Each structure stands twice: as C-alpha cells, then as structure tokens.
Amino acid sequence: MLQRPRRNRKSEVIRQMVQETYVSASNLIFPLFIVEGENQKTEVSSMPGIFRYSIDNLLREVESCMKLGLNSFDLFPNIDEALKDKYATESHRDESLYLRAIRAVKKEFPESCVITDVAMDPYSSDGHDGVVENGEILNDETLEILGKMALAHARSGADIIAPSDMMDGRVGYIRKTLDDAGFTGVSIMSYSAKYASAFYGPFRDALNSAPKFGDKKTYQMNPANQREALIEARLDEAEGADFLMVKPGLPYLDVIKLLKDNTELPIAAYNVSGEYAMIKAAVQNGWLNEQRSVTEVLTSFRRAGASAILTYHAKQVLENKWL
C-alpha cells in the first residue's frame, strides 16, 4: 500500500497535533554581561541587541525578562584591566563587581535562577582559563582558584555554578569545596564538552577576555573529536555534576545527542555569541527570516536532546511570542 506521510502535514492544526519537539521559556537561559558604574548600558558591537549593564540596569533587565517568563540568567563580568592579575584574585574578592551583581539579583529577585561562570579568563592578566607558568597552563594549581571562586559565588547566592575552564578534575574539586562549606544544595552545570571553537569571538569582545598569547587548544576540545566528549562527560558525572553542557551548540548537535543517549543527567547547549552574530548579520542583510531562523535553531537543540539552552535570543523570542 502506498504510504502518504504528507497527510499528517496537510494543515496547521494537524502539524501541531503531531509535533514532537517544543521550546518554552522554561528551557531558556539568558546570558547577561555586567560592567562597573551606574546607569551603564552599552551595546556589544558584534552582537546587535545585546548589552553590557551596570548593576542598576542589570536589575531592570532581569525584571523585564521575568515579566516575560524568562527566569534563568547566566552572568558574565567585564573586568577593568587594572584589576586583573596572574592569579585572578578579583574573582573571589568579596566586593568585586561580579559578587555584588549576584547578591543584588538574588536579593531583588530571590525566585530567579542565577547561574555563575567559574573560569579565570575574565580576571586573568594572561587571559587564559588557568594559571600560566612559562607559557604552560597549569591544571592542578588552577583548581584552588576555581574552588575559591565557586565558594564565593555560592556565598553570594548563586543557584548553579558553571565551571567553563576545562581543567581536569575541577568538578570534583568544586563539589567537595561546596559540600565542605555546607553548600550541598548548589548545583554544578559543567561545561563538559567545550570545544576550541572559532565561534567565541564576539563573547571575548564583550568581556575583553581574549588570551594575551597563544590559544586554548591545550584545554578546550578538538572540534574533530566526538568520542572524547563522552570521556569528559562521564568524568564530570562521576565527580558530581548536575548538568552537562555542550559548547558551542549548532556545530555540535551530534555531541548533544551523543551525551543525551549516554547519561540520565540533563544536557545544556550553549548557543554561543558567534552563532548569534551570524544570524543577526544575515537578517540585517535581508538574507534570512529572523523568526523562522531563530526558532529553527532553538528547536534543533531541543530535538538533539538539550533540556536547557543558553541563548542570546532568549528575551527576543519571548517578547515577540515566537515560541
């Protein structure tokens, strides 16, 4: 008998009836950039529609997002160059910009979910995710700094700690540090498969955090490797991670699917700055329909198996009711 699958596509009502994958506000995490000062809101030139906010304006932005049903935020600091040093001491100084921002958001919006980035590069005078000695990134020496950073975030009210550094053993070190201090309820969203990607450029512009020499290939993953992601994910799960993240998202949908098929932990996908910038540039040139392109991208992450999507499109899709 001739099969006619098109019968289930013949009308919008039927297409919605059989739709397999959905994206909702609860799946979205909005990355937000923070700067020092008051009443600051400056657009990131390579990311149209995305801004760096001083803490007062950050609170206004969070409030407007929460009115849309967008309740999860990942915060990233733009640190003055004069505050950066070899050991990223600003990352855990009690009155630093980042810790003040975490406290302010959780005080004003205790029902929000605040996710914090644990990595040295925004605070490091070398611009790397680890301690540098003689041009080498030192793994174990970095863990102590990451632990101090994670503990400072937890004390400031962070709900989820997200180590993005790719140092070996950092999830276990951070988990023990948090547990020993009584923060057993603070989650870890590990950047398990973070690739040495060409798609991070606009993010580094936003934070002024590019490495001062070399690249990050000795700790971030080779884009050619898939099975290696399983090694990283299994280690992070064994060390106490609560979420496993794949970054970037679009070029690594196969990795998202691979991790989803091999763990019971929720998977997060980071729809990174370069992916965002590509769509924005194509839309501005009239080459793509923005609504269709963005919703297709977000749906692809969910279809591949991601429960959470960090995306700079988050507020826009909810404001415009694209989902």
Side-chain angles (χ1 to χ4, degrees):
M1 180 183 296
L2 177 64
Q3 298 295 304
R4 296 188 182 274
R6 285 184 56 194
R7 285 195 288 260
N8 286 344
R9 302 195 290 267
K10 68 184 179 183
S11 73
E12 181 64 20
V13 172
I14 294 175
R15 288 193 294 272
Q16 289 186 10
M17 184 187 301
V18 301
Q19 183 168 322
E20 301 171 21
T21 305
Y22 291 89
V23 183
S24 71
S26 61
N27 300 121
L28 303 179
I29 299 168
F30 194 24
L32 290 168
F33 299 123
I34 314 162
V35 292
E36 194 62 85
E38 294 183 5
N39 198 30
Q40 297 295 310
K41 181 181 177 181
T42 58
E43 189 170 33
V44 180
S45 60
S46 53
M47 301 176 68
I50 298 300
F51 299 85
R52 306 176 189 90
Y53 298 97
S54 54
I55 292 176
D56 52 345
N57 279 333
L58 172 71
L59 295 177
R60 296 184 183 99
E61 179 68 1
V62 169
E63 181 179 25
S64 68
C65 289
M66 294 188 69
K67 288 178 179 178
L68 298 169
L70 178 56
N71 300 314
S72 297
F73 307 92
D74 199 351
L75 306 182
F76 297 93
N78 183 306
I79 302 298
D80 189 288
E81 201 69 28
L83 296 174
K84 299 180 181 182
D85 62 29
K86 181 182 183 67
Y87 298 106
T89 54
E90 183 68 9
S91 68
H92 49 84
R93 185 177 66 85
D94 190 54
E95 287 304 310
S96 68
L97 168 67
Y98 198 54
L99 299 186
R100 285 186 283 117
I102 298 167
R103 290 195 289 263
V105 174
K106 288 304 294 184
K107 180 181 179 181
E108 193 75 19
F109 307 103
E111 70 277 24
S112 68
C113 177
V114 171
I115 302 164
T116 61
D117 181 62
V118 172
M120 284 182 58
D121 56 331
Y123 314 92
S124 166
S125 52
D126 293 303
H128 275 282
D129 295 55
V131 176
V132 179
E133 290 288 356
N134 300 317
E136 181 183 355
I137 313 301
L138 304 183
N139 191 96
D140 294 0
E141 290 80 353
T142 299
L143 299 185
E144 182 179 356
I145 297 170
L146 300 178
K148 290 179 180 179
M149 197 184 310
L151 186 56
H153 295 180
R155 286 173 172 158
S156 298
D159 298 286
I160 300 175
I161 304 293
S164 62
D165 55 286
M166 290 300 286
M167 297 297 115
D168 293 338
R170 90 275 204 211
V171 171
Y173 191 97
I174 290 170
R175 183 73 273 162
K176 185 177 188 306
T177 299
L178 294 176
D179 289 356
D180 287 351
F183 292 102
T184 57
V186 175
S187 305
I188 295 177
M189 178 182 284
S190 174
Y191 287 62
S192 295
K194 182 178 181 180
Y195 286 85
S197 172
F199 290 92
Y200 301 150
F203 178 92
R204 291 174 181 169
D205 290 343
L207 296 188
N208 189 28
S209 64
K212 299 298 191 293
F213 68 91
D215 53 42
K216 301 190 176 186
K217 292 180 180 179
T218 66
Y219 47 101
Q220 294 179 357
M221 286 179 53
N222 184 343
N225 292 355
Q226 182 191 67
R227 288 178 297 176
E228 186 182 2
L230 275 180
I231 297 173
E232 294 283 3
R234 286 168 175 160
L235 286 170
D236 287 353
E237 182 168 3
E239 291 175 21
D242 300 285
F243 299 78
L244 305 176
M245 189 192 297
V246 177
K247 180 182 180 182
L250 270 182
Y252 301 94
L253 293 174
D254 59 321
V255 178
I256 296 171
K257 179 67 164 61
L258 180 68
L259 297 195
K260 178 66 175 178
D261 289 345
N262 284 276
T263 183
E264 298 303 315
L265 292 181
I267 306 300
Y270 201 142
N271 181 205
V272 299
S273 60
E275 299 167 27
Y276 175 88
M278 286 194 305
I279 286 183
K280 284 294 184 181
V283 168
Q284 288 178 350
N285 280 282
W287 298 334
L288 290 177
N289 175 285
E290 188 166 20
Q291 176 179 356
R292 292 184 60 191
S293 301
V294 171
T295 55
E296 187 174 341
V297 165
L298 298 181
T299 301
S300 75
F301 295 134
R302 292 282 289 134
R303 191 182 65 246
S307 300
I309 306 167
L310 291 85
T311 178
Y312 301 95
H313 299 290
K315 186 181 182 183
Q316 182 184 19
V317 299
L318 296 175
E319 279 183 320
N320 294 312
K321 298 180 170 59
W322 288 352
L323 300 180

